[in-house]
Amino acid sequence: MVLILSCGVSCASCEKTNGNGTPDTSDPDIITHEEPATQNLLRAMQITDKAIESYFNQTTMAMTEFYNPFTGSSSSGTVDVWPYTSAIEAVNAIMHALSAQKEAGDATLYDENFSRYAELLGKLYKGLQYYEGSFELISYTQTRNWSVYSVHRSDIPGSAAVAGIDNVYDDQQWIIRELLEAYKLTGNEEYLEKAEYLTDYVIDGWDCTLAPDWTENGGITWGPGYTTKHSCSNGPFVSPLVWLSEIYAGSGETATYRYIDSSKKRLTKEMDKSEYYMMYAKKVYDFQKTHLMDQTNGVYYDMLGGPSGMNDTNIDKMDDASKAKVYETVDGIKYKAYLEPGGPNGTPLSYNSGTMLSGAADLYRATKDDSYRQDMEKLTDACFKYFAKPDADIPGLYSYAYDGFNNWFNGVMLRGWVNVFEESGYKGTHDPIKSFQDNLDYGYTNHVKDGILPGNLYLGWPKSESSCTVKGFFQFAFAAEYAVLAKYMIEQ
């Protein structure tokens, strides 16, 4: 992270110019095309292909964190599952854009590239097995063994440590999202089956304990080993739940609904699967909107803090007295208990609002409930006002935070704005979406190096070539943004 931050404090000395300080657009690294949507798509493919080559072991599909395009050197070690999932996200986004272009009447790029990206998608999915592991979890309604994805990669498939804080619900949600996207693109039932299994796991983490008014307390903690309830462990779940509801609409299939009654008994009943998923989509959306929106600026806080009086939000680190409060025994069976969370806090991050933009858009499409349209249009305006800073780095451009993980966070917000436009045609999305196009094009035209972009699209690379390292996470984020913009343009 220090390396990334260092890229943000100095303009590049290693840029390619034509001698008068302007970019040399004749450079073969720079893809230009008379059709803007095609140019976006070609650039998305170029960045993704170079990132796969630079950050991945082509045999094991292990992904490293940093790469330096000036020295050709990579960092040691492997990334966590979240950055790994960003590669799947970029490939899915490209395949969506290729499909959109084909449907619009031009199948050239689709015919040349779709099958190879579908094959790459399969390899990336197979690589997820190194993050997979199994554990037993005591939840609010049952005790069950689960096979889920760890934060960290193991050396042996299926052997990753996943107990406690070694897995988090938001990681599962991002994987669910991309598996469902992959299913929609390829029709591969294995992607759908795995996505549903992980969805069951995350629903098992929903706090269905009852408040004094007999409503559910609600919310999903960051992970099974945590007591804090985060925007990032709730918001990303809404859209995949809506998609599953749509997939199973009219199928007649059922799902087992687990719940708690007023006497604290754990009960089950069968529900129509489509209605079951839609019920949870609405529940999760309502929880986040009610508990985590900052009413002063209209965007979303990072989380609800940990319970008062407990010495840690990590259950494993609690003393015995605090740990005992995490569980309750009903009819001789141990269950997870309700813990009153602290208040909302934490810096608003673009992806926490971005997931709610997409969630509201999907709920509006599926239900036609106008309240969701109102929500997403208000949130669109609030996000642009809060996160976009005009002329902060380059005159004429809107700057978005690029420290930490913000380059990826911002892409989630872009996708949310595009989803809002797709479902409502809201004109307030025009300038926000255009700002991403302008920023990507500026960074690409001025700073691309062998298909790799710097972490700072505005100021470029550091002065020292040895310091020009950049996360693969960001390359896939930029590629996905270009692909999302390509599809957006094609469908206009």
Side-chain angles (χ1 to χ4, degrees):
M1 194 173 294
V2 171
L3 292 169
I4 295 301
L5 289 170
S6 72
C7 292
V9 296
S10 62
C11 292
S13 65
C14 38
E15 307 296 348
K16 297 178 180 178
T17 66
N18 59 16
N20 62 4
T22 59
D24 178 9
T25 54
S26 67
D27 191 305
D29 287 345
I30 298 178
I31 292 173
T32 57
H33 195 278
E34 62 183 11
E35 170 56 46
T38 299
Q39 177 170 279
N40 281 345
L41 182 49
L42 290 171
R43 288 179 177 181
M45 291 191 290
Q46 178 201 40
I47 295 168
T48 296
D49 292 348
K50 184 61 179 181
I52 291 292
E53 174 190 327
S54 303
Y55 292 90
F56 276 84
N57 180 308
Q58 303 304 308
T59 301
T60 64
M61 295 308 290
M63 179 181 170
T64 191
E65 186 170 15
F66 290 105
Y67 174 74
N68 186 324
F70 292 92
T71 64
S73 59
S74 301
S75 60
S76 59
T78 57
V79 297
D80 293 343
V81 74
W82 174 31
Y84 183 94
T85 308
S86 71
I88 302 176
E89 175 190 2
V91 171
N92 279 336
I94 289 170
M95 292 171 69
H96 271 301
L98 289 169
S99 297
Q101 193 170 60
K102 179 184 178 181
E103 291 171 9
D106 183 357
T108 305
L109 288 177
Y110 179 96
D111 292 341
E112 293 174 353
N113 296 283
F114 190 88
S115 61
R116 76 179 178 93
Y117 281 114
E119 182 179 351
L120 175 57
L121 182 61
K123 290 180 180 178
L124 290 167
Y125 173 64
K126 186 177 181 180
L128 278 173
Q129 65 186 321
Y130 288 91
Y131 293 93
E132 198 165 11
S134 300
F135 79 123
E136 183 180 83
L137 175 64
I138 300 172
S139 72
Y140 298 101
T141 61
Q142 63 179 332
T143 296
R144 178 175 167 182
N145 284 301
W146 293 98
S147 179
V148 297
Y149 292 107
S150 173
V151 173
H152 307 296
R153 189 181 190 274
S154 66
D155 294 329
I156 301 172
S159 67
V162 292
I165 64 169
D166 284 327
N167 90 84
V168 286
Y169 288 121
D170 57 323
D171 284 353
Q172 319 305 319
Q173 291 168 21
W174 292 116
I175 294 170
I176 291 165
R177 176 191 171 85
E178 295 312 322
L179 289 177
L180 290 175
E181 293 281 32
Y183 169 71
K184 289 185 283 187
L185 286 160
T186 67
N188 187 332
E189 293 285 341
E190 185 175 358
Y191 297 145
L192 176 60
E193 181 180 348
K194 176 62 78 171
E196 273 205 271
Y197 176 85
L198 293 175
T199 298
D200 287 345
Y201 171 65
V202 178
I203 288 176
D204 188 60
W206 170 260
D207 187 346
C208 58
T209 59
L210 299 181
D213 63 357
W214 308 119
T215 60
E216 289 181 327
N217 287 301
I220 302 168
T221 56
W222 190 14
Y226 291 97
T227 61
T228 45
K229 294 177 178 176
H230 292 236
S231 287
C232 72
S233 55
N234 287 275
F237 202 30
V238 178
S239 288
L241 286 165
V242 175
W243 301 346
L244 283 167
S245 176
E246 292 172 326
I247 288 170
Y248 285 102
S251 70
E253 293 194 30
T254 62
T256 302
Y257 173 41
R258 297 180 176 276
Y259 62 103
I260 303 173
D261 71 4
S262 58
S263 65
K264 292 194 173 183
K265 288 185 179 296
R266 272 58 179 177
L267 303 174
T268 64
K269 69 177 180 180
E270 291 302 301
M271 284 186 64
D272 176 86
K273 187 176 279 191
S274 179
E275 294 176 3
Y276 172 79
Y277 288 132
M278 182 57 68
M279 174 185 70
Y280 274 106
K282 293 177 179 179
K283 282 184 180 184
V284 176
Y285 180 89
D286 291 345
F287 175 85
Q288 180 138 325
K289 181 183 174 183
T290 302
H291 293 84
L292 285 158
M293 178 184 281
D294 185 341
Q295 298 299 325
T296 61
N297 53 42
V299 297
Y300 282 83
Y301 287 108
D302 188 42
M303 66 175 180
L304 295 179
S308 175
M310 290 194 169
N311 64 342
D312 209 296
T313 60
N314 176 352
I315 295 171
D316 290 340
K317 291 185 177 181
M318 289 180 177
D319 58 32
D320 290 341
S322 291
K323 192 177 294 186
K325 298 176 184 178
V326 174
Y327 302 100
E328 62 181 354
T329 300
V330 179
D331 295 334
I333 302 175
K334 187 176 181 181
Y335 298 104
K336 194 170 183 180
Y338 172 66
L339 298 172
E340 181 72 33
N345 64 77
T347 302
L349 299 168
S350 54
Y351 80 140
N352 288 331
S353 293
T355 58
M356 292 295 280
L357 286 167
S358 293
D362 284 320
L363 282 166
Y364 177 63
R365 180 189 64 253
T367 68
K368 303 307 179 187
D369 183 336
D370 197 58
S371 66
Y372 296 122
R373 181 191 60 79
Q374 294 177 40
D375 283 354
M376 63 188 180
E377 292 181 1
K378 289 178 182 177
L379 184 55
T380 290
D381 297 342
C383 285
F384 194 48
K385 181 178 180 180
Y386 186 89
F387 293 107
K389 309 300 180 187
D391 307 315
D393 291 291
I394 302 295
L397 296 182
Y398 285 94
S399 288
Y400 296 89
Y402 44 77
D403 59 326
F405 298 111
N406 275 294
N407 280 321
W408 184 85
F409 292 164
N410 298 334
V412 176
M413 186 166 64
L414 167 64
R415 187 171 60 230
W417 281 329
V418 169
N419 292 156
V420 169
F421 181 82
E422 288 171 341
E423 302 307 332
S424 73
Y426 180 51
K427 293 180 180 179
T429 59
H430 175 75
D431 287 342
I433 293 171
K434 184 178 182 296
S435 72
F436 271 80
Q437 182 72 61
D438 292 344
N439 290 346
L440 283 168
D441 286 345
Y442 182 88
Y444 184 94
T445 302
N446 288 279
H447 306 307
V448 70
K449 169 62 177 174
D450 296 338
I452 298 291
L453 288 170
N456 187 329
L457 293 176
Y458 313 100
L459 304 181
W461 301 98
K463 293 180 179 180
S464 170
E465 288 191 358
S466 62
S467 299
C468 292
T469 53
V470 63
K471 288 178 180 284
F473 200 9
F474 297 166
Q475 300 311 302
F476 292 119
F478 295 143
E481 289 171 15
Y482 258 134
V484 166
L485 289 166
K487 181 175 180 288
Y488 165 77
M489 288 183 173
I490 291 164
E491 293 179 344
Q492 295 312 293

